[in-house]
């Protein structure tokens, strides 16, 4: 049995580790991946194959203090209108290079606040996407929706365009917490948004909440979870708030003395986790919960759960193309990231050139370690036969790596002839265990608490 003392000794409460939505993580991206290589990778996509598409909208009507995403505030829609035009131009460029018959298996609009767009902007953007590639038969079109920035007309435009999964950010319903993190969003307002989403016929609802927020307590997170459960979301992400004011300057407005201790963070997580489990949700990986009919729950049971920049996914496409400022694309050959600054991104597209500014070309070792980390994060196990049959590594070399990881964690992992398994009482250490397979300089990559 792994107790709190051992968890502390193994680094759970003080280590800074990546979330491993990619490997290597974005801080390790560098030059050497530019527009030419990006085009080369696009043109290498198999004809009639599936890809996923991510569109980043960096604008917000207001900037929430807790957020560390690449966003910018705007009081008018004129820069948003111009940005949508740039996205459409980028889609036209993409269409020129995509091989014949490529279809979209997933389309996701993130931000920022994608619902800042007017219905007309949404319609034009959706039309440009459909001109770029058709949706596959089982395509999923998801949009991040801010309940403060949505109405019936915009929801109707999204639903008419094919949106079949909506994702709402909740964070916490407590008024004191909302005031402290700069995110006013009452329960009634959120309920109204959820009801409008349901009325449009959108099939699935995602919700995000945070633990580890200032002034958060077991009682407060219990109330938030119970209110959230009244919406019957299909999928919930329970993320730990990452307080990184040296990276996200707006977080300096949040009083650090009001943050829970690492031990209290674990209590908050476990409180919320138990509530979701009691309500019949399946636990997905380290921080997601899903209804048994949801795609994530089905993928987990089938061994098809994967990680990408949005967290856990059931997407089977091995190409993700990111459009918009700062977006990251993933290909079998490597990662490619667009210029982060909106001005730099816009200038490149205006000149008829993709804005790819940095990235990473995978080595064989990257691919091996990426799969080891993904297997730990998704399945809590590493299947030795899968790894040795898929990668150029001997059984002896692989088991050497597995035993080295077990040694680092005081032999709490289970190693058999089948591979490595993370016991249930050790799964709060999952990101730390995954880190043991990371060959890069960890001082660059770890930005958030292990819990």
């Amino acid at each position: 049995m792994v107790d709190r003392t051992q968890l502390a000794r193994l680094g759970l409460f003080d280590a800074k580790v990546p979330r491993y939505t990619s490997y290597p993580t974005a801080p390790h991206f560098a030059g050497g991946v530019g527009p030419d290589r990006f085009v080369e990778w696009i043109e290498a996509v198999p004809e009639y194959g599936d890809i996923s598409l991510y569109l980043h909208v960096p604008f917000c009507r207001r900037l929430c203090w807790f957020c560390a995403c690449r966003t910018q505030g705007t009081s008018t829609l004129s820069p948003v209108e111009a940005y949508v035009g740039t996205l459409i131009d980028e889609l036209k460029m993409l269409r020129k290079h995509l091989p014949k018959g490529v279809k979209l298996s997933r389309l996701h609009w993130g931000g920022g606040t994608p619902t800042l767009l007017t219905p007309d902007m949404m319609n034009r953007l959706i039309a440009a996407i459909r001109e770029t590639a058709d949706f596959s038969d089982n395509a999923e079109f998801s949009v991040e929706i801010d309940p403060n920035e949505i109405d019936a007309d915009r929801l109707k435009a999204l639903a008419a365009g094919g949106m079949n999964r909506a994702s709402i950010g909740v964070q916490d319903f407590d008024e004191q917490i909302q005031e402290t993190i700069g995110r006013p969003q009452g329960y009634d307002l959120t309920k109204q948004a959820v009801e409008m989403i349901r009325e449009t016929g959108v099939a699935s609802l995602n919700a995000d909440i945070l633990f580890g927020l200032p002034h958060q307590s077991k009682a407060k997170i219990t109330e938030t979870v119970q209110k959230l459960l009244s919406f019957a979301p299909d999928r919930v992400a329970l993320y730990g708030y990452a307080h990184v004011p040296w990276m996200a300057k707006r977080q300096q407005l949040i009083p650090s003395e009001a943050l829970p201790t690492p031990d209290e963070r674990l209590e908050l997580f476990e409180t919320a986790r138990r509530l979701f489990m009691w309500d019949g949700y399946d636990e997905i990986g380290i921080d997601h919960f899903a209804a048994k009919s949801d795609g994530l729950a089905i993928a987990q049971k089938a061994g098809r759960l994967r990680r990408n920049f949005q967290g856990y996914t059931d997407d089977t496409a091995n190409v993700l193309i990111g459009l918009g400022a700062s977006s990251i694309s993933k290909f079998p050959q490597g990662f490619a990231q667009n210029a982060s600054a909106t001005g730099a991104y816009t200038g490149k597209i205006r000149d008829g050139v993709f804005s790819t500014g940095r990235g990473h070309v995978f080595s064989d070792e990257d691919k091996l370690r990426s799969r080891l980390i993904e297997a730990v994060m998704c399945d809590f196990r590493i299947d030795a036969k899968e790894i040795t049959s898929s990668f150029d590594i001997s059984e002896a070399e692989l088991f050497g790596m597995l035993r080295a990881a077990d040694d680092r964690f005081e032999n709490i992992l289970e190693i058999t002839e089948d591979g490595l398994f993370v016991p249930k009482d050790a799964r709060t250490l999952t990101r730390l265990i995954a880190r043991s397979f990371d060959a890069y300089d960890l001082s660059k990559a770890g930005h958030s608490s292990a819990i």
Side-chain angles (χ1 to χ4, degrees):
M1 180 71 179
V2 182
D3 58 23
R4 292 289 180 94
T5 301
Q6 190 173 17
L7 290 175
R9 188 168 63 246
L10 291 171
L12 180 67
F13 300 125
D14 51 22
K16 301 295 183 185
V17 291
R19 296 188 187 275
Y20 287 117
T21 53
S22 72
Y23 182 82
T25 55
H28 296 291
F29 295 177
V33 177
D36 290 345
R37 179 158 277 171
F38 183 58
V39 167
E40 175 189 322
W41 289 349
I42 292 171
E43 292 179 345
V45 173
E47 290 185 354
Y48 301 100
D50 282 350
I51 65 169
S52 294
L53 201 60
Y54 171 77
L55 272 72
H56 186 66
V57 179
F59 299 97
C60 294
R61 192 84 66 182
R62 64 165 198 279
L63 295 177
C64 304
W65 303 339
F66 73 91
C67 181
C69 298
R70 289 192 178 275
T71 58
Q72 59 194 84
T74 181
S75 58
T76 71
L77 286 177
S78 56
V80 183
E81 174 75 43
Y83 184 82
V84 168
T86 306
L87 280 175
I88 291 171
D89 288 342
E90 190 177 17
L91 283 161
K92 291 176 181 176
M93 291 165 58
L94 174 62
R95 186 167 70 235
K96 291 178 182 177
H97 297 285
L98 273 179
K100 182 171 60 177
V102 170
K103 292 189 175 182
L104 296 182
S105 67
R106 294 290 187 278
L107 170 62
H108 183 76
W109 291 8
T113 310
T115 48
L116 197 66
L117 275 59
T118 65
D120 177 65
M121 293 180 199
M122 291 174 175
N123 291 334
R124 287 190 288 118
L125 193 52
I126 291 168
I129 292 167
R130 289 186 175 275
E131 288 174 6
T132 302
D134 290 331
F135 285 158
S136 65
D137 291 340
N138 298 312
E140 189 173 277
F141 175 12
S142 56
V143 179
E144 294 173 14
I145 292 175
D146 180 353
N148 289 286
E149 193 64 59
I150 194 61
D151 55 35
D153 288 341
R154 282 180 280 186
L155 276 175
K156 286 175 184 175
L158 289 170
M163 180 183 74
N164 52 14
R165 183 177 290 275
S167 182
I168 58 168
V170 170
Q171 322 322 334
D172 194 289
F173 283 123
D174 182 79
E175 289 185 8
Q176 182 189 20
I177 293 174
Q178 290 180 1
E179 182 180 348
T180 306
I181 65 174
R183 171 75 174 211
Q185 182 184 313
Y187 170 77
D188 289 340
L189 176 76
T190 308
K191 181 181 178 183
Q192 182 182 2
V194 169
E195 289 173 348
M196 285 194 295
I197 289 167
R198 298 292 195 196
E199 287 167 5
T200 62
V202 173
S204 302
L205 177 69
N206 293 6
D208 296 349
I209 68 169
L210 293 176
F211 69 91
L213 291 169
H215 304 299
Q216 204 171 40
S217 65
K218 289 173 66 176
K220 288 181 176 181
I221 202 168
T222 296
E223 183 175 3
T224 285
V225 171
Q226 289 174 336
K227 286 181 174 178
L228 177 60
L229 288 171
S230 72
F231 303 150
D234 300 88
R235 187 181 299 178
V236 178
L238 174 64
Y239 293 129
Y241 166 61
H243 192 60
V244 287
W246 56 91
M247 289 176 55
K249 301 301 183 186
R250 71 191 80 160
Q251 289 188 356
Q252 294 174 4
L253 296 168
I254 295 176
S256 57
E257 66 273 11
L259 295 170
T261 66
D263 196 64
E264 290 168 340
R265 283 174 64 96
L266 179 58
E267 286 286 352
L268 291 167
F269 172 79
E270 289 293 346
T271 298
R273 173 184 171 275
R274 285 193 292 268
L275 290 169
F276 288 121
M277 299 293 286
W278 286 339
D279 212 58
Y281 286 79
D282 282 357
E283 190 171 13
I284 309 296
I286 63 170
D287 53 18
H288 280 54
F289 301 86
K292 297 186 186 304
S293 59
D294 185 79
L296 282 190
I298 294 168
Q300 179 173 258
K301 287 181 174 64
R304 293 186 288 101
L305 193 64
R306 294 290 181 263
R307 292 283 280 178
N308 67 10
F309 294 106
Q310 279 78 57
Y312 289 103
T313 181
D314 57 346
D315 186 13
T316 56
N318 64 358
V319 171
L320 167 66
I321 297 178
L323 302 180
S326 79
S327 283
I328 301 174
S329 299
K330 182 183 180 182
F331 297 88
Q333 301 92 333
F335 294 116
Q337 184 171 22
N338 289 351
S340 295
T342 303
Y345 156 77
T346 300
K348 287 287 188 181
I349 302 301
R350 191 175 294 147
D351 291 339
V353 179
F354 285 112
S355 72
T356 316
R358 61 199 292 262
H360 182 85
V361 179
F362 294 145
S363 66
D364 288 342
E365 184 179 3
D366 288 335
K367 295 176 184 178
L368 165 66
R369 291 181 179 273
S370 176
R371 180 57 193 144
L372 294 174
I373 288 170
E374 183 179 55
V376 169
M377 295 288 292
C378 292
D379 305 320
F380 305 113
R381 64 189 292 269
I382 292 173
D383 184 322
K385 285 184 179 177
E386 179 217 329
I387 299 301
T388 54
S389 64
S390 302
F391 301 94
D392 185 19
I393 185 172
S394 69
E395 189 174 284
E397 290 172 315
L398 174 61
F399 275 89
M401 294 176 72
L402 303 186
R403 282 190 291 271
D406 193 27
D407 289 344
R408 291 190 190 98
F409 290 92
E410 301 178 356
N411 305 115
I412 64 173
L413 307 178
E414 296 177 11
I415 296 180
T416 70
E417 62 182 12
D418 295 324
L420 177 145
F421 180 74
V422 182
K424 279 195 172 183
D425 60 354
R427 289 181 183 175
T428 50
L429 294 164
T430 297
R431 284 166 58 205
L432 284 165
I433 296 165
R435 188 180 69 171
S436 66
F437 297 105
D438 190 332
Y440 287 87
D441 178 4
L442 299 178
S443 66
K444 286 186 179 181
H447 295 307
S448 60
S449 169
I451 183 62

